[in-house]
Amino acid sequence: MIDIIFSGLVHGGVYALVAVGMSLIFGVTNVANFAQGSIVAAGMMLAWWLGGTLGWGIVPVTLAVALATGVLGLLINTAVIAPLEGRRPIAALLATIGVGQIIDSGLQLTFGTRTRAFPQLLPTHDLQFAGVRFGTSDVTMALLAVASMAALWAFLTFGKVGQAIRATSQDPQAAQQMGIPVGTVRNVSFAIGAVLAGVSGIFVGLFNANVNPTNGGSIGMTAFVAATIGGLGSIPGALAGGIVLGLVESVGVSLIGDGAHDLITFGALLIILIVRPQGLFGAAGVQSEPMTGTFLDAGRPIELPRWANWALAALLVATPFVFSDYLAGIGTQVAIYAIAAVGLTLISGSAGQTILGMAGPFAVGAYASALLVTRAGWPFLAALPAAGVIAAIAACVLTFPVWKLSGHYVAIATIGVGAVMVAAIRLAQPLTNGSLGIQGIPLPTVFGQVLYTQQMQYLLDVIVLLIALAAVTRLRRSHLGHVFEAVGSDERASEALGIRSGAYKALAYALAAFLSGVAGSLLAHQYTYIDPTIFTSTVSTLILTVVVLGGMSSPLGAVLGSIVLIGAPEALRFATDARVLIYGALLVVIILFRPQGLFSRKA
């Protein structure tokens, strides 16, 4: 048990370094920087290249990584975050997601996706104490982590710039009135946060001995969980949260198994949000909500006349009869993601609550439909809506305790819900076949006709998409839809009028989860094979990007966003390896230059 605790402390130290950078940036800029994990991966791969290929030692490698990642953090703030000053904080949050995708994809294009051995930058000698075996590199890493934390504490406590950072964190407006250059302080904060992330990448490489450029996202998300546990914006909280999470993961994995890693991590996140949402060291009562609000103030959906809607519907239904197998196959992907995105316009567009974990309901719908058909003998047409209902119920049950909260607490909870759903699917091996997935899922059968061609499946997807569009559009025009928009436009005013905003957001989320589950059902029966690796956080980001691209409050915009984001790269057969980079770049460009989306007009 002692060696397990030691391993947890080492992992926790790495999480703490990244989490401290996140909390520092959050406290000063009110931005939840989801690109932090990608900066970890950048520091890790740069250290691998400098140490392994060029043969540099630990000191020059550390200095070079610190310099490069510091410049990267400064560039992110000046080029992407600072121009969004004055907009709703959700804009900066989504922009950091796009920046993370750009960095991750750039690293994979540069270094490839294979796993490689990390160079031994530190001499390792096996030691033993109290029954625990460890190396001198482990001791050095622990000392370096402690030294980094101590240096940061001294800088923030005694340094003039550090004191300015603390003042800006407590009250930016008061700090500016006192003559503190808030813009410069924010640049410094982003640079320091990036340096901490880059240096922690070196520690990750040394501890794991093997590195892969795709690991940054999971490290960053885990560090974000640690920062949330400690209290977003609290540097001591980030330190404590990292250590606590490292210990909980180490002990939990040793008892349950490595397959339960995500369940432990994100289960701990949900528990802390329910019990103490502000975190261990966070202040109660959050005044600013960096993950709530929409771009409703930037635009309104374009309303087409009824004849134009009917014409577009007829054109959409006609496409399967003129498309080739290849184009029809692309069309199925476009339609499936459009169905999931149309639902998201209700909760993230109308109701104003950012949802970052739609991959969870998507996965539940896919597995529910596959199991109902293959094991329970249900017909496909019965399993299709049932999958949506099951996904909606699962999402509501897991998020039920957090709807009493508001803003970014709920958004963070949806991250946990999505990850917990997929982790539970992986662990339920007798039912779901675990990581091996489900094979032999039958093709869709409609009124006795097996849809064995791409055109047939595409026609089915188009019909379901049109039904979803009609239902969501009608709902948005109803009294309930107006209530959703009232909650999204001004939650406090809605509460003052007696509207229970949390209940209406929960309802909008259930409707979105239903459509996401239906989309998952279509995907399962058209793939005929599913496994947990299909439903990663990238899927959640992709669905959210589709909505932002088309217009967060526009159902037709969601279809247009899916065509541009998913259909265009496939149809033109370009940038296969750089697809995620294109997704990220489009997300950043849309947020910076057309926040209302492609199919919305300026308000």
Side-chain angles (χ1 to χ4, degrees):
M1 180 58 72
I2 297 178
D3 58 334
I4 294 173
I5 293 175
F6 178 78
S7 175
L9 289 173
V10 174
H11 269 99
V14 174
Y15 295 157
L17 274 177
V18 188
V20 164
M22 280 187 163
S23 282
L24 177 64
I25 293 171
F26 184 91
V28 172
T29 66
N30 199 38
V31 173
N33 183 19
F34 277 83
Q36 195 80 344
S38 303
I39 300 175
V40 174
M44 181 173 62
M45 297 312 301
L46 179 58
W48 169 82
W49 180 69
L50 294 175
T53 304
L54 301 184
W56 290 17
I58 182 64
V59 174
V61 164
T62 302
L63 293 175
V65 167
L67 177 61
T69 53
V71 171
L72 179 59
L74 182 63
L75 180 63
I76 292 172
N77 186 54
T78 55
V80 179
I81 305 303
L84 297 174
E85 182 70 23
R87 299 210 198 154
R88 295 198 180 189
I90 179 62
L93 165 73
L94 296 175
T96 63
I97 292 176
V99 169
Q101 290 180 311
I102 294 171
I103 296 173
D104 288 338
S105 184
L107 290 174
Q108 292 172 38
L109 289 173
T110 303
F111 296 102
T113 58
R114 66 181 180 86
T115 300
R116 70 289 310 275
F118 195 79
Q120 291 187 352
L121 300 176
L122 293 170
T124 300
H125 305 285
D126 290 332
L127 304 173
Q128 187 169 353
F129 178 76
V132 179
R133 297 182 64 86
F134 55 91
T136 52
S137 60
D138 296 327
V139 177
T140 304
M141 282 191 297
L143 293 176
L144 285 174
V146 172
S148 300
M149 294 294 183
L152 179 62
W153 172 81
F155 170 73
L156 293 175
T157 304
F158 303 109
K160 187 175 181 180
V161 177
Q163 291 174 352
I165 290 175
R166 291 169 56 201
T168 304
S169 175
Q170 293 172 6
D171 192 330
Q173 292 181 350
Q176 193 166 22
Q177 291 173 358
M178 295 297 294
I180 295 175
V182 172
T184 302
V185 168
R186 288 175 174 170
N187 283 334
V188 172
S189 299
F190 257 90
I192 293 175
V195 168
L196 292 173
V199 171
S200 69
I202 302 175
F203 295 160
V204 171
L206 288 171
F207 187 81
N208 293 337
N210 295 299
V211 294
N212 189 303
T214 63
N215 293 341
S218 61
I219 296 171
M221 191 57 67
T222 305
F224 179 74
V225 173
T228 305
I229 290 174
L232 278 172
S234 169
I235 292 177
L239 176 60
I243 299 299
V244 168
L245 186 60
L247 290 172
V248 169
E249 281 188 354
S250 185
V251 174
V253 167
S254 68
L255 295 177
I256 305 176
D258 189 59
H261 178 273
D262 286 351
L263 184 64
I264 295 168
T265 301
F266 294 98
L269 172 65
L270 291 177
I271 290 172
I272 197 69
L273 286 173
I274 294 169
V275 176
R276 187 177 172 80
Q278 70 270 26
L280 299 176
F281 289 80
V286 176
Q287 298 300 319
S288 182
E289 301 287 3
M291 299 186 200
T292 189
T294 69
F295 297 133
L296 288 175
D297 55 349
R300 291 289 185 269
I302 296 173
E303 299 288 345
L304 297 179
R306 180 172 296 182
W307 66 265
N309 287 324
W310 281 108
L312 286 176
L315 180 63
L316 198 59
V317 171
T319 51
F321 298 100
V322 298
F323 275 9
S324 64
D325 285 346
Y326 175 70
L327 289 178
I330 297 171
T332 60
Q333 298 296 308
V334 171
I336 286 172
Y337 279 97
I339 292 168
V342 165
L344 202 59
T345 61
L346 287 173
I347 176 65
S348 292
S350 295
Q353 179 61 64
T354 303
I355 302 295
L356 301 174
M358 288 306 291
F362 197 56
V364 170
Y367 272 86
S369 186
L371 292 172
L372 287 173
V373 172
T374 58
R375 298 199 179 185
W378 283 36
F380 167 75
L381 285 181
L384 180 66
V389 172
I390 293 171
I393 292 174
C396 288
V397 168
L398 287 175
T399 56
F400 173 75
V402 301
W403 289 111
K404 63 182 180 181
L405 307 172
S406 62
H408 74 271
Y409 293 136
V410 180
I412 295 171
T414 63
I415 299 174
V417 167
V420 165
M421 284 180 174
V422 177
I425 288 171
R426 183 180 287 109
L427 287 175
Q429 188 166 356
L431 181 65
T432 64
N433 209 22
S435 298
L436 298 178
I438 300 177
Q439 300 180 359
I441 303 171
L443 293 170
T445 301
V446 178
F447 303 124
Q449 173 65 53
V450 179
L451 307 185
Y452 58 90
T453 68
Q454 294 283 6
Q455 287 87 347
M456 290 179 175
Q457 295 171 14
Y458 178 38
L459 180 60
L460 170 66
D461 296 340
V462 165
I463 292 172
V464 175
L465 174 59
L466 288 175
I467 294 172
L469 283 170
V472 170
T473 301
R474 189 172 183 85
L475 178 60
R476 285 174 53 84
R477 293 173 179 171
S478 68
H479 173 73
L480 179 59
H482 294 324
V483 175
F484 285 160
E485 288 198 5
V487 171
S489 298
D490 196 326
E491 185 173 339
R492 291 184 178 179
S494 300
E495 292 279 358
L497 292 173
I499 297 174
R500 297 172 58 192
S501 59
Y504 281 101
K505 285 185 178 182
L507 177 58
Y509 179 55
L511 294 172
F514 172 82
L515 288 178
S516 186
V518 169
S521 172
L522 293 171
L523 180 140
H525 289 276
Q526 290 169 29
Y527 277 17
T528 70
Y529 166 78
I530 53 174
D531 67 64
T533 61
I534 296 174
F535 308 99
T536 63
S537 59
T538 303
V539 171
S540 298
T541 304
L542 177 56
I543 296 173
L544 184 62
T545 306
V546 166
V547 176
V548 174
L549 180 62
M552 291 188 76
S553 59
S554 173
L556 278 177
V559 180
L560 178 61
S562 185
I563 292 172
V564 173
L565 203 59
I566 296 171
E570 287 280 0
L572 300 178
R573 298 188 180 186
F574 73 90
T576 302
D577 296 332
R579 184 169 297 143
V580 176
L581 189 148
I582 294 174
Y583 295 162
L586 276 174
L587 181 58
V588 173
V589 169
I590 286 293
I591 291 170
L592 286 174
F593 300 107
R594 192 173 173 84
Q596 71 269 28
L598 296 177
F599 203 73
S600 294
R601 55 182 172 79
K602 278 192 175 184

